Amino acid sequence: MPKPWKKDLDPRDDDAPPRTLHSAVVVETLDLHGYTADQAEHRLEMLFDRLSRTSAGEVVRIVTGRGSRSAGPPVLQGVVRDALNGWLSDRVAEWAVDAGSGAYLVRIR
C-alpha cells in the first residue's frame, strides 16, 4: 500500500526533484585539502557569496578530507560544520555528510 505522505516520482522524470542530497547533481566542488582553517573560511565565504546570488537551490560538494594526514585531530571538518550551522546558515538550505565522511553536500539557499 502506498504511503500517503510520499509522492510518487518517476525516477526517469528529469523534472523530479532529488529525494536526498546524495542523489542530487553536484554543480560545483570546493576542495579544501591543504588549507588552514582561516584560508578555508575565506574560500567558503567567497563560494557562498557567489553561489547564493547565482545558484540558489543547487548542490555543491565541499571536500575537507578526513584528516588522516593531520598532525593532530582533523580541523577542517569542524570548521566547515561550524560554518554551515553558524555564520553561513542564512545561505544554506540543507546539508549532509557525503559518503566516506570526507566531504559535505550543501544545498544553497
Side-chain angles (χ1 to χ4, degrees):
M1 174 182 248
K3 308 280 190 252
W5 61 87
K6 290 191 175 184
K7 291 184 179 180
D8 290 329
L9 297 176
D10 185 347
R12 297 166 297 189
D13 183 3
D14 291 336
D15 294 331
R19 292 178 186 256
T20 68
L21 286 174
H22 292 89
S23 64
V25 174
V26 174
V27 296
E28 190 165 334
T29 298
L30 174 63
D31 189 345
L32 297 175
H33 280 104
Y35 288 100
T36 66
D38 287 339
Q39 291 169 332
E41 286 180 344
H42 180 69
R43 296 290 305 245
L44 284 168
E45 180 76 28
M46 291 187 332
L47 177 76
F48 278 85
D49 278 350
R50 180 172 51 84
L51 293 179
S52 63
R53 290 189 307 264
T54 62
S55 301
E58 300 292 338
V59 175
V60 296
R61 177 179 290 117
I62 301 169
V63 180
T64 62
R66 293 178 299 179
S68 59
R69 291 185 291 228
S70 297
V75 174
L76 294 181
Q77 286 181 337
V79 166
V80 172
R81 187 174 40 254
D82 290 347
L84 297 175
N85 288 326
W87 56 276
L88 287 176
S89 64
D90 62 326
R91 292 178 253 175
V92 174
E94 61 181 319
W95 64 270
V97 176
D98 199 3
S101 73
Y104 292 92
L105 295 172
V106 182
R107 187 176 312 279
I108 305 295
R109 179 175 300 165

